[in-house]
Amino acid sequence: MANSYKRGDNDSRPWGTWEVLDSENNFCVKRIKVIPGGKLSLQLHHHRSEHWILVKGEALITLGETLLTKKAGENVFIPQEIKHRIQNNSMEDVEFIEVQIGENLDENDIVRLEDIYGRA
C-alpha cells in the first residue's frame, strides 16, 4: 500500500484548506475547511473510499446522483469510484474530518469530472 501523505502536510486551494492530522500505510485523516461559497471539484477516486464527518457548519454534498444537506455532527460515507463533492452555500466556514482508506492515498487519485476553478 502506498500513502504519500504525512502528518502535518497541508495545502491551500481556491475553495479553502486541508491539513493531514494522521497518516499510516492504508489510511489518512485530514481536517478540511471550505470557505463560504467554496465548492470542491466533482470527483471520484479509483483507489480509496472516504468517510466525512462534519464538525462545523452546513454543507451540500453530492453523492452519486443524490444531493444531501449535512450539518455538524452528521457524516457521509463515499465508496470508491462514486462521484462526490462538497460545497458551502452558507456565510460561515464548513469544516469536516475526512478519513481516507485504501491502497493508494495521494493527490494523483483525484479524478476531477467538473470544477468551477478550471482544474478539471
Side-chain angles (χ1 to χ4, degrees), residues 15 34 37-41 85-88 114-117:
W15 46 259
V34 185
K39 183 177 185 178
L40 279 69
S41 60
R85 162 178 23 228
I86 189 167
Q87 63 189 78
N88 181 358
E114 181 182 297
D115 185 66
I116 65 170
Y117 308 106

Side-chain angles (χ1 to χ4, degrees), residues 27-73:
F27 78 89
C28 177
V29 180
K30 287 182 175 178
R31 171 182 284 186
I32 299 174
K33 182 186 296 186
V34 185
I35 60 174
K39 183 177 185 178
L40 279 69
S41 60
L42 182 65
Q43 59 187 248
L44 61 82
H45 310 289
H46 295 300
H47 301 286
R48 70 178 184 241
S49 62
E50 296 177 344
H51 189 182
W52 293 349
I53 303 104
L54 273 81
V55 295
K56 182 178 178 186
E58 182 175 290
L60 181 64
I61 296 171
T62 302
L63 182 63
E65 301 302 319
T66 304
L67 289 177
L68 308 165
T69 299
K70 297 287 184 175
K71 60 186 181 208

Side-chain angles (χ1 to χ4, degrees), residues 6-116:
K6 303 290 180 256
R7 185 179 298 181
D9 286 352
N10 60 79
D11 199 7
S12 293
R13 299 292 171 96
W15 46 259
T17 61
W18 60 261
E19 175 188 4
V20 175
L21 303 177
D22 200 6
S23 183
E24 294 280 336
N25 284 341
N26 63 338
F27 78 89
C28 177
V29 180
K30 287 182 175 178
R31 171 182 284 186
I32 299 174
K33 182 186 296 186
V34 185
I35 60 174
K39 183 177 185 178
L40 279 69
S41 60
L42 182 65
Q43 59 187 248
L44 61 82
H45 310 289
H46 295 300
H47 301 286
R48 70 178 184 241
S49 62
E50 296 177 344
H51 189 182
W52 293 349
I53 303 104
L54 273 81
V55 295
K56 182 178 178 186
E58 182 175 290
L60 181 64
I61 296 171
T62 302
L63 182 63
E65 301 302 319
T66 304
L67 289 177
L68 308 165
T69 299
K70 297 287 184 175
K71 60 186 181 208
E74 297 181 324
N75 66 81
V76 63
F77 178 74
I78 302 147
Q80 189 173 301
E81 302 283 347
I82 299 298
K83 65 182 179 180
H84 59 281
R85 162 178 23 228
I86 189 167
Q87 63 189 78
N88 181 358
N89 295 333
S90 77
M91 299 303 288
E92 67 176 41
D93 289 344
V94 165
E95 289 188 31
F96 65 102
I97 303 300
E98 175 181 88
V99 180
Q100 303 175 2
I101 299 172
E103 62 186 41
N104 184 11
L105 304 176
D106 65 29
E107 293 295 291
N108 295 322
D109 189 32
I110 298 173
V111 179
R112 287 189 176 94
L113 306 170
E114 181 182 297
D115 185 66
I116 65 170

